[in-house]
Amino acid sequence: MCWALTFLGVGVALWRSREALSDRQVPTMGGLAAFIFAAQMLNFPVAGGTSGHLIGGTLAAILLGPWQAMIVMATVVAVQALLFQDGGLLALGANILNMAILAPIVAYGFYRGLRILLSARREGAFIAAFAAAWVSTVAAAAATAMELGFSGTSPIGIALPAMVGIHALIGIGEGLITVGALALVIATRPDLVAPGRASAPSGMRWVWGGLAVAIALALLSPLASPNPDGLERMAEELGFIARAQEPLYTVMPDYTFPGISHPALTTMVAGIVGTLIAYGVAVGLAALFRRGKPMT
C-alpha cells in the first residue's frame, strides 16, 4: 500500500512540476536536495538520550512549492536508502510517503494557511514556518506509527503516543532550523517567500551557495549526536528493533566511505559524496522532465 501511494504521489509531483518547472529552477532543486541531504546527517540531541534530524520538507515546500519539494525530498530519501542503507530498502516506500509526500504537503498547506491568517510582515513568515515544520514532523511521525500498527509490527495504541511524543520535541528542532534557514533567505531575497509566491529562486549564485553550505555541513557530520533517532529509540523500547533485516548489499553503510578507516574522515567523505549525488540526481530528474515539456 505504501509503495502504491508513493508511486502515485511522486508521479503526480513529476507531472505537476513539469507544467511549472523553468530551466533556471532545475539546478536550484539540486542545490536544495544537496543541502537537505547534508543537514539530515547532523542529528541533534533531544530528551531521553534520543536524537532528531531535519526532515526539510517544510523548507523545500516554502521555497519550491509542494510538487517540486516532493521530488527533492524523494531524491534525498532514496539516496540515503540506496547508497547508505539509511532507513532500509524494505521501508523505502513508507519513508518516501511519510517524509517526501506527506510532510511537504502538510507543511505547505499549513504554511500558506497561516500566512493568510497572519500578516504579510516578516514575523508572520517565521511563525508560519515554525508551526508548519512542527506540524509536518508530528504528522509524518503519526503516519509512521499507524503504518507500524497496520503492519503488525507494534500496536497503534502503543506506537502512536510514543512516536508523536518524541517527535513533538524533535519538531521544535525542525522548526528552529527551518526558521534559521528561512531567515537567511529572507535577508537576501525576501521576494522568494512573499505571500502568493511558490516558485524556486533562480540564478546559479543560489545553487553554488547552497552547494557550498551543504558541503560545509557534510564536513561537520562527525559532530552529529550519536544517540539513536526517534524511530530507532522507539524500536528499542518497544522491542521490535530485532526484526530489522540485514541489507541485501552495502555501498557506503552508515555513512562510511570504503577504504577509509578514520572515523571522522570516512563520515565526511561519505557525506560529501552523498551530497553531490543528491544534487546530481535531483538535477537529472528535473532536467529530464523539463526537456519533455512542450514548447510554448
Coordinates of all heavy atoms in Angstrom, one line a residue, residues 81-178:
A81 N 18.7 5.7 1.3 CA 18.4 4.2 1.4 C 19.3 3.4 0.5 O 19.9 2.4 0.9 CB 17.0 4.0 1.2
L82 N 19.4 3.8 -0.8 CA 20.1 3.0 -1.8 C 21.6 3.0 -1.6 O 22.2 2.0 -1.9 CB 19.7 3.5 -3.2 CG 18.2 3.4 -3.5 CD1 17.9 4.0 -4.9 CD2 17.8 1.9 -3.6
L83 N 22.2 4.1 -1.2 CA 23.6 4.2 -1.1 C 24.2 4.0 0.3 O 25.3 3.5 0.5 CB 24.1 5.5 -1.7 CG 23.9 5.7 -3.2 CD1 24.5 7.0 -3.6 CD2 24.5 4.6 -4.0
F84 N 23.4 4.4 1.3 CA 23.9 4.4 2.7 C 23.1 3.5 3.6 O 23.4 3.4 4.8 CB 23.8 5.8 3.2 CG 24.7 6.8 2.5 CD1 24.1 7.6 1.4 CD2 26.0 7.0 2.8 CE1 24.9 8.5 0.7 CE2 26.8 7.9 2.0 CZ 26.2 8.6 1.0
Q85 N 22.2 2.7 3.0 CA 21.4 1.8 3.8 C 20.7 2.5 5.0 O 20.6 1.9 6.1 CB 22.2 0.6 4.2 CG 22.5 -0.4 3.1 CD 23.5 0.2 2.0 OE1 24.6 0.6 2.4 NE2 23.1 0.2 0.8
D86 N 20.4 3.7 4.9 CA 19.8 4.5 5.9 C 18.3 4.5 5.8 O 17.7 5.0 4.8 CB 20.3 6.0 5.9 CG 19.8 6.8 7.0 OD1 19.1 6.2 7.9 OD2 20.1 8.0 7.1
G87 N 17.6 3.8 6.7 CA 16.2 3.7 6.6 C 15.7 2.4 6.1 O 14.6 2.0 6.3
G88 N 16.6 1.7 5.4 CA 16.3 0.3 4.9 C 15.5 0.4 3.6 O 14.7 1.3 3.3
L89 N 15.8 -0.7 2.8 CA 15.1 -0.8 1.4 C 13.7 -1.2 1.6 O 12.8 -0.7 0.8 CB 15.9 -1.8 0.6 CG 17.3 -1.4 0.2 CD1 18.0 -2.5 -0.6 CD2 17.3 -0.1 -0.6
L90 N 13.4 -2.1 2.5 CA 12.0 -2.6 2.7 C 11.1 -1.5 3.1 O 9.9 -1.5 2.8 CB 12.0 -3.7 3.7 CG 12.7 -5.0 3.3 CD1 12.6 -6.0 4.4 CD2 12.1 -5.6 2.0
A91 N 11.6 -0.5 3.9 CA 10.8 0.6 4.3 C 10.9 1.8 3.5 O 10.3 2.9 3.8 CB 11.2 1.0 5.8
L92 N 11.5 1.7 2.3 CA 11.8 2.9 1.5 C 10.4 3.5 1.0 O 10.3 4.7 1.0 CB 12.6 2.5 0.3 CG 13.0 3.7 -0.7 CD1 13.6 4.8 0.0 CD2 13.8 3.1 -1.9
G93 N 9.5 2.7 0.6 CA 8.2 3.2 0.2 C 7.5 4.0 1.2 O 7.0 5.1 1.0
A94 N 7.5 3.5 2.5 CA 6.9 4.2 3.6 C 7.6 5.4 3.9 O 7.0 6.5 4.2 CB 6.8 3.3 4.8
N95 N 9.0 5.4 3.9 CA 9.8 6.6 4.2 C 9.6 7.7 3.2 O 9.5 8.9 3.6 CB 11.3 6.2 4.3 CG 11.6 5.4 5.5 OD1 10.9 5.5 6.5 ND2 12.7 4.6 5.5
I96 N 9.5 7.4 1.9 CA 9.2 8.4 0.9 C 7.8 8.9 1.1 O 7.6 10.2 1.0 CB 9.4 7.8 -0.5 CG1 10.9 7.5 -0.8 CG2 8.9 8.8 -1.6 CD1 11.1 6.9 -2.1
L97 N 6.9 8.1 1.4 CA 5.5 8.5 1.6 C 5.4 9.5 2.8 O 4.8 10.5 2.7 CB 4.6 7.3 1.9 CG 3.1 7.6 2.2 CD1 2.4 8.3 1.0 CD2 2.4 6.3 2.5
N98 N 6.1 9.2 3.9 CA 6.0 10.0 5.1 C 6.8 11.3 5.0 O 6.3 12.4 5.3 CB 6.4 9.2 6.3 CG 5.6 8.0 6.5 OD1 4.4 7.9 6.1 ND2 6.2 7.0 7.2
M99 N 8.0 11.2 4.5 CA 8.9 12.4 4.6 C 8.9 13.2 3.3 O 9.2 14.4 3.3 CB 10.3 11.9 4.9 CG 10.5 11.4 6.3 SD 12.3 11.3 6.8 CE 12.8 9.9 5.8
A100 N 8.6 12.5 2.1 CA 8.7 13.2 0.9 C 7.4 13.6 0.3 O 7.3 14.4 -0.7 CB 9.5 12.3 -0.1
I101 N 6.3 13.0 0.7 CA 5.0 13.3 0.2 C 4.1 13.9 1.3 O 3.7 15.1 1.1 CB 4.3 12.0 -0.4 CG1 5.2 11.5 -1.6 CG2 2.9 12.3 -0.8 CD1 4.6 10.2 -2.1
L102 N 3.9 13.2 2.4 CA 3.1 13.8 3.4 C 3.6 15.0 4.0 O 2.9 16.0 4.2 CB 2.8 12.7 4.5 CG 2.0 13.1 5.7 CD1 0.6 13.4 5.2 CD2 1.9 12.0 6.7
A103 N 4.9 15.0 4.4 CA 5.5 16.1 5.1 C 5.4 17.4 4.3 O 5.0 18.5 4.8 CB 6.9 15.8 5.6
P104 N 5.9 17.4 3.0 CA 5.8 18.7 2.3 C 4.3 19.2 2.0 O 4.1 20.4 2.1 CB 6.4 18.3 0.9 CG 7.3 17.2 1.2 CD 6.6 16.4 2.3
I105 N 3.4 18.2 1.8 CA 2.0 18.6 1.6 C 1.4 19.3 2.8 O 0.8 20.4 2.8 CB 1.2 17.4 1.1 CG1 1.5 17.0 -0.3 CG2 -0.3 17.8 1.2 CD1 0.8 15.8 -0.8
V106 N 1.6 18.6 4.0 CA 1.1 19.2 5.2 C 1.8 20.5 5.5 O 1.1 21.5 5.9 CB 1.3 18.2 6.4 CG1 1.0 18.8 7.7 CG2 0.5 16.9 6.2
A107 N 3.1 20.6 5.3 CA 3.8 21.8 5.6 C 3.4 22.9 4.7 O 3.1 24.1 5.2 CB 5.3 21.6 5.4
Y108 N 3.2 22.7 3.4 CA 2.8 23.8 2.5 C 1.4 24.3 2.8 O 1.2 25.5 2.9 CB 2.9 23.2 1.1 CG 2.6 24.3 0.1 CD1 3.6 25.3 -0.2 CD2 1.4 24.4 -0.6 CE1 3.3 26.3 -1.2 CE2 1.1 25.4 -1.5 CZ 2.1 26.3 -1.8 OH 1.9 27.3 -2.7
G109 N 0.5 23.3 3.0 CA -0.9 23.8 3.3 C -1.0 24.5 4.6 O -1.6 25.6 4.7
F110 N -0.2 24.1 5.7 CA -0.3 24.8 6.9 C 0.4 26.1 6.8 O -0.1 27.1 7.4 CB 0.4 23.9 8.0 CG -0.1 24.1 9.4 CD1 -1.3 23.5 9.8 CD2 0.6 24.9 10.3 CE1 -1.7 23.7 11.1 CE2 0.1 25.1 11.6 CZ -1.1 24.5 12.0
Y111 N 1.5 26.2 6.1 CA 2.3 27.4 6.0 C 1.4 28.5 5.2 O 1.3 29.6 5.6 CB 3.6 27.2 5.3 CG 4.4 28.5 5.0 CD1 5.2 29.1 5.9 CD2 4.3 29.0 3.7 CE1 5.9 30.2 5.7 CE2 5.0 30.2 3.4 CZ 5.8 30.8 4.4 OH 6.5 31.9 4.1
R112 N 0.9 28.1 4.1 CA 0.1 29.0 3.3 C -1.2 29.5 4.1 O -1.5 30.7 4.0 CB -0.4 28.3 2.0 CG 0.8 28.0 1.1 CD 1.4 29.2 0.4 NE 0.5 29.8 -0.4 CZ 0.3 31.2 -0.5 NH1 1.0 31.9 0.4 NH2 -0.5 31.7 -1.3
G113 N -1.8 28.6 4.8 CA -3.0 29.0 5.6 C -2.6 30.0 6.7 O -3.3 31.0 6.9
L114 N -1.5 29.8 7.4 CA -1.1 30.7 8.4 C -0.6 32.0 7.8 O -0.9 33.1 8.4 CB 0.0 30.1 9.3 CG -0.4 29.1 10.3 CD1 0.8 28.6 11.1 CD2 -1.4 29.7 11.3
R115 N 0.0 32.0 6.7 CA 0.4 33.3 6.0 C -0.8 34.1 5.7 O -0.7 35.3 5.7 CB 1.2 33.0 4.8 CG 2.6 32.4 5.1 CD 3.5 33.4 5.8 NE 4.1 34.3 4.9 CZ 4.3 35.6 5.1 NH1 3.9 36.2 6.2 NH2 5.0 36.3 4.2
I116 N -1.9 33.5 5.4 CA -3.1 34.2 5.1 C -3.7 34.8 6.3 O -4.1 36.0 6.4 CB -4.2 33.3 4.3 CG1 -3.6 32.9 3.0 CG2 -5.5 34.0 4.2 CD1 -4.5 31.9 2.3
L117 N -3.7 34.0 7.4 CA -4.3 34.4 8.7 C -3.4 35.5 9.3 O -3.9 36.5 9.9 CB -4.4 33.3 9.6 CG -5.5 32.2 9.3 CD1 -5.5 31.1 10.2 CD2 -6.9 32.9 9.2
L118 N -2.1 35.3 9.2 CA -1.2 36.3 9.8 C -1.0 37.4 8.8 O -1.6 37.5 7.8 CB 0.1 35.6 10.1 CG 0.1 34.5 11.2 CD1 1.4 33.8 11.3 CD2 -0.4 35.0 12.5
S119 N -0.1 38.3 9.1 CA 0.1 39.4 8.2 C 1.2 39.1 7.2 O 1.8 38.0 7.3 CB 0.5 40.7 9.0 OG 1.8 40.5 9.6
A120 N 1.4 40.0 6.2 CA 2.5 39.8 5.3 C 3.8 40.2 5.8 O 4.8 40.2 5.1 CB 2.2 40.6 4.0
R121 N 3.9 40.6 7.1 CA 5.1 41.0 7.7 C 6.1 39.8 7.9 O 5.7 38.7 7.9 CB 4.8 41.6 9.1 CG 4.0 42.9 9.1 CD 3.5 43.3 10.4 NE 4.7 43.6 11.3 CZ 4.6 43.9 12.6 NH1 3.4 43.9 13.2 NH2 5.7 44.1 13.3
R122 N 7.3 40.2 8.0 CA 8.4 39.1 8.1 C 8.1 38.2 9.3 O 8.4 37.0 9.2 CB 9.7 39.8 8.3 CG 10.9 38.9 8.4 CD 12.2 39.6 8.4 NE 12.4 40.4 7.2 CZ 13.5 41.1 6.9 NH1 14.5 41.1 7.8 NH2 13.6 41.8 5.9
E123 N 7.7 38.7 10.4 CA 7.5 37.8 11.6 C 6.4 36.8 11.3 O 6.5 35.7 11.8 CB 7.0 38.7 12.8 CG 8.1 39.6 13.3 CD 8.1 40.9 12.5 OE1 7.4 41.1 11.5 OE2 9.0 41.8 12.8
G124 N 5.4 37.1 10.4 CA 4.4 36.1 10.1 C 5.0 34.9 9.3 O 4.6 33.8 9.5
A125 N 6.0 35.2 8.5 CA 6.6 34.1 7.8 C 7.4 33.2 8.7 O 7.3 31.9 8.6 CB 7.6 34.6 6.7
F126 N 8.0 33.7 9.7 CA 8.8 32.9 10.7 C 7.8 32.1 11.6 O 8.0 30.9 11.8 CB 9.6 33.8 11.6 CG 10.7 34.5 10.9 CD1 11.2 35.7 11.3 CD2 11.3 33.9 9.8 CE1 12.2 36.4 10.6 CE2 12.3 34.6 9.1 CZ 12.8 35.8 9.5
I127 N 6.7 32.7 12.0 CA 5.8 31.9 12.8 C 5.1 30.8 12.0 O 5.0 29.7 12.5 CB 4.7 32.9 13.4 CG1 5.3 33.9 14.3 CG2 3.6 32.1 14.0 CD1 4.3 35.0 14.8
A128 N 4.7 31.1 10.8 CA 4.1 30.1 9.9 C 5.1 29.0 9.6 O 4.7 27.8 9.6 CB 3.6 30.8 8.6
A129 N 6.4 29.3 9.4 CA 7.3 28.3 9.0 C 7.6 27.4 10.2 O 7.7 26.2 10.1 CB 8.6 29.0 8.6
F130 N 7.7 28.0 11.4 CA 8.0 27.1 12.6 C 6.8 26.2 12.8 O 7.0 25.0 13.1 CB 8.2 28.0 13.8 CG 8.5 27.3 15.1 CD1 9.8 26.9 15.4 CD2 7.5 26.8 15.9 CE1 10.1 26.2 16.6 CE2 7.7 26.1 17.1 CZ 9.0 25.8 17.4
A131 N 5.6 26.8 12.8 CA 4.4 25.9 13.0 C 4.2 24.9 12.0 O 3.9 23.7 12.3 CB 3.1 26.8 13.1
A132 N 4.5 25.2 10.7 CA 4.3 24.2 9.7 C 5.4 23.1 9.8 O 5.1 21.9 9.6 CB 4.5 24.9 8.3
A133 N 6.6 23.5 10.2 CA 7.6 22.5 10.4 C 7.3 21.5 11.5 O 7.5 20.3 11.4 CB 9.0 23.2 10.7
W134 N 6.8 22.1 12.6 CA 6.4 21.3 13.8 C 5.3 20.3 13.4 O 5.3 19.1 13.7 CB 6.0 22.1 14.9 CG 5.8 21.4 16.2 CD1 6.7 21.0 17.2 CD2 4.6 20.8 16.7 NE1 6.2 20.3 18.2 CE2 4.8 20.2 17.9 CE3 3.3 20.8 16.2 CZ2 3.8 19.5 18.6 CZ3 2.3 20.2 16.9 CH2 2.5 19.6 18.1
V135 N 4.2 20.8 12.8 CA 3.1 20.0 12.5 C 3.4 18.9 11.5 O 3.0 17.8 11.6 CB 1.9 20.9 11.9 CG1 0.8 20.1 11.3 CG2 1.4 21.8 13.0
S136 N 4.2 19.3 10.5 CA 4.6 18.3 9.4 C 5.4 17.2 10.0 O 5.3 16.0 9.7 CB 5.3 18.9 8.3 OG 6.5 19.5 8.7
T137 N 6.3 17.5 11.0 CA 7.1 16.5 11.7 C 6.3 15.5 12.5 O 6.4 14.3 12.4 CB 8.1 17.2 12.6 OG1 9.0 18.0 11.8 CG2 9.0 16.1 13.3
V138 N 5.3 16.1 13.2 CA 4.4 15.2 14.0 C 3.5 14.4 13.1 O 3.2 13.2 13.4 CB 3.6 16.1 15.0 CG1 2.6 15.3 15.7 CG2 4.5 16.8 16.0
A139 N 3.1 15.0 12.0 CA 2.2 14.3 11.1 C 2.9 13.1 10.5 O 2.4 12.0 10.3 CB 1.7 15.2 10.0
A140 N 4.2 13.3 10.1 CA 5.0 12.2 9.5 C 5.2 11.1 10.5 O 5.2 9.9 10.2 CB 6.3 12.7 9.0
A141 N 5.4 11.5 11.8 CA 5.6 10.5 12.9 C 4.4 9.7 13.1 O 4.4 8.5 13.3 CB 6.1 11.2 14.1
A142 N 3.2 10.4 13.1 CA 1.9 9.7 13.3 C 1.7 8.7 12.2 O 1.2 7.6 12.4 CB 0.8 10.8 13.4
A143 N 2.0 9.1 11.0 CA 1.8 8.2 9.9 C 2.7 7.0 10.0 O 2.2 5.9 9.7 CB 2.1 8.9 8.5
T144 N 3.9 7.2 10.4 CA 4.8 6.1 10.7 C 4.3 5.1 11.7 O 4.3 3.9 11.5 CB 6.2 6.6 11.1 OG1 6.7 7.4 10.1 CG2 7.2 5.4 11.3
A145 N 3.7 5.7 12.8 CA 3.2 4.8 13.9 C 2.0 4.0 13.4 O 1.8 2.8 13.7 CB 2.7 5.7 15.0
M146 N 1.1 4.7 12.6 CA 0.0 3.9 12.0 C 0.4 2.8 11.1 O -0.2 1.7 11.0 CB -1.0 4.9 11.4 CG -1.7 5.8 12.4 SD -3.0 6.8 11.6 CE -2.0 8.0 10.8
E147 N 1.4 3.1 10.3 CA 2.0 2.1 9.4 C 2.6 0.9 10.2 O 2.4 -0.3 9.8 CB 3.0 2.7 8.5 CG 2.4 3.6 7.4 CD 3.4 4.6 6.9 OE1 4.6 4.6 7.3 OE2 3.0 5.5 6.1
L148 N 3.2 1.2 11.3 CA 3.8 0.1 12.1 C 2.6 -0.7 12.7 O 2.7 -1.9 12.8 CB 4.6 0.7 13.3 CG 5.9 1.4 12.9 CD1 6.5 2.1 14.1 CD2 6.9 0.3 12.4
G149 N 1.5 0.0 13.1 CA 0.4 -0.7 13.6 C -0.3 -1.6 12.6 O -0.6 -2.8 12.8
F150 N -0.5 -1.1 11.4 CA -1.2 -1.8 10.3 C -0.4 -3.0 9.8 O -0.9 -4.0 9.4 CB -1.5 -0.9 9.1 CG -2.6 0.1 9.4 CD1 -2.5 1.4 8.9 CD2 -3.7 -0.2 10.2 CE1 -3.5 2.3 9.2 CE2 -4.7 0.7 10.5 CZ -4.6 2.0 10.0
S151 N 1.0 -2.9 9.9 CA 1.9 -4.0 9.5 C 2.0 -5.0 10.6 O 2.6 -6.1 10.3 CB 3.2 -3.4 9.2 OG 3.9 -2.9 10.3
G152 N 1.5 -4.8 11.8 CA 1.6 -5.8 12.8 C 2.9 -5.7 13.6 O 3.2 -6.5 14.5
T153 N 3.7 -4.7 13.3 CA 5.0 -4.5 14.0 C 4.8 -4.1 15.4 O 5.5 -4.5 16.3 CB 5.9 -3.5 13.2 OG1 6.0 -3.9 11.9 CG2 7.2 -3.4 13.9
S154 N 3.9 -3.1 15.7 CA 3.7 -2.6 17.0 C 2.2 -2.1 17.1 O 1.8 -1.5 16.1 CB 4.7 -1.5 17.4 OG 4.4 -1.0 18.7
P155 N 1.5 -2.4 18.1 CA 0.1 -1.9 18.2 C 0.1 -0.4 18.1 O 0.9 0.4 18.7 CB -0.3 -2.3 19.7 CG 0.6 -3.5 20.0 CD 1.9 -3.1 19.3
I156 N -0.9 0.1 17.4 CA -1.1 1.6 17.2 C -1.2 2.3 18.5 O -0.7 3.4 18.7 CB -2.3 1.9 16.3 CG1 -2.1 1.3 14.9 CG2 -2.6 3.4 16.2 CD1 -3.2 1.6 13.9
G157 N -1.9 1.7 19.5 CA -2.2 2.3 20.8 C -0.9 2.6 21.5 O -0.8 3.4 22.4
I158 N 0.2 1.8 21.2 CA 1.5 2.0 21.8 C 2.4 2.8 21.0 O 3.0 3.8 21.4 CB 2.1 0.6 22.1 CG1 1.3 -0.2 23.1 CG2 3.5 0.8 22.7 CD1 1.8 -1.6 23.4
A159 N 2.4 2.5 19.7 CA 3.3 3.2 18.8 C 3.0 4.7 18.6 O 3.8 5.5 18.5 CB 3.4 2.5 17.4
L160 N 1.7 5.0 18.5 CA 1.2 6.3 18.1 C 1.6 7.3 19.2 O 2.3 8.4 18.9 CB -0.3 6.4 17.9 CG -0.8 7.7 17.4 CD1 -0.2 8.2 16.1 CD2 -2.3 7.6 17.2
P161 N 1.3 7.1 20.5 CA 1.7 8.1 21.5 C 3.2 8.2 21.7 O 3.8 9.3 21.9 CB 1.0 7.6 22.8 CG 0.7 6.2 22.5 CD 0.4 6.1 21.1
A162 N 3.9 7.1 21.5 CA 5.4 7.1 21.6 C 6.0 7.9 20.5 O 6.9 8.7 20.8 CB 5.9 5.6 21.6
M163 N 5.6 7.7 19.3 CA 6.2 8.4 18.2 C 5.8 9.9 18.2 O 6.6 10.7 18.0 CB 5.7 7.8 16.8 CG 6.4 6.5 16.5 SD 8.1 6.8 16.0 CE 7.9 7.6 14.4
V164 N 4.5 10.2 18.5 CA 4.1 11.6 18.5 C 4.8 12.3 19.6 O 5.2 13.5 19.5 CB 2.6 11.7 18.6 CG1 2.1 13.1 18.9 CG2 1.9 11.2 17.3
G165 N 4.9 11.6 20.8 CA 5.5 12.3 21.9 C 7.0 12.7 21.7 O 7.3 13.9 21.9
I166 N 7.8 11.8 21.2 CA 9.2 12.1 21.0 C 9.4 13.1 19.8 O 10.2 14.0 19.8 CB 10.1 10.8 20.7 CG1 11.5 11.2 20.8 CG2 9.7 10.2 19.4 CD1 12.0 11.7 22.1
H167 N 8.5 13.0 18.8 CA 8.7 13.8 17.6 C 8.0 15.2 17.8 O 8.3 16.2 17.1 CB 8.1 13.2 16.3 CG 9.0 12.1 15.8 ND1 9.0 10.9 16.2 CD2 9.9 12.2 14.8 CE1 9.9 10.2 15.5 NE2 10.5 11.0 14.7
A168 N 7.2 15.3 18.9 CA 6.8 16.7 19.3 C 8.0 17.5 19.7 O 8.1 18.7 19.5 CB 5.8 16.6 20.4
L169 N 9.0 16.8 20.4 CA 10.2 17.5 20.7 C 11.1 17.7 19.5 O 11.7 18.8 19.4 CB 10.9 16.7 21.8 CG 10.2 16.5 23.1 CD1 11.0 15.6 24.1 CD2 10.0 17.9 23.8
I170 N 11.2 16.7 18.7 CA 12.1 16.8 17.5 C 11.5 17.9 16.6 O 12.3 18.6 15.9 CB 12.2 15.5 16.8 CG1 12.9 14.4 17.6 CG2 12.8 15.6 15.4 CD1 12.9 13.0 17.1
G171 N 10.2 18.0 16.6 CA 9.6 19.1 15.7 C 10.0 20.5 16.1 O 10.1 21.4 15.3
I172 N 10.4 20.7 17.4 CA 10.9 22.0 17.8 C 12.2 22.3 17.1 O 12.4 23.4 16.6 CB 11.0 22.1 19.3 CG1 9.6 21.9 20.0 CG2 11.7 23.4 19.8 CD1 9.7 21.8 21.5
G173 N 13.1 21.3 17.1 CA 14.4 21.5 16.4 C 14.1 21.7 14.9 O 14.8 22.5 14.3
E174 N 13.2 20.9 14.3 CA 12.9 21.1 12.9 C 12.4 22.5 12.6 O 12.8 23.2 11.7 CB 11.8 20.1 12.5 CG 11.3 20.3 11.1 CD 12.1 19.5 10.1 OE1 12.8 18.6 10.5 OE2 11.9 19.7 8.9
G175 N 11.6 23.0 13.5 CA 11.1 24.4 13.4 C 12.2 25.4 13.5 O 12.2 26.4 12.7
L176 N 13.0 25.3 14.4 CA 14.1 26.3 14.6 C 15.1 26.3 13.5 O 15.5 27.3 13.0 CB 14.9 26.0 15.9 CG 14.1 26.2 17.2 CD1 14.9 25.7 18.4 CD2 13.7 27.6 17.4
I177 N 15.4 25.1 13.0 CA 16.3 25.0 11.8 C 15.7 25.6 10.6 O 16.3 26.4 9.8 CB 16.8 23.6 11.5 CG1 17.6 23.0 12.7 CG2 17.6 23.5 10.3 CD1 17.9 21.5 12.6
T178 N 14.4 25.3 10.4 CA 13.7 25.8 9.2 C 13.6 27.4 9.3 O 13.9 28.1 8.3 CB 12.3 25.3 9.2 OG1 12.3 23.8 9.1 CG2 11.5 25.8 8.0

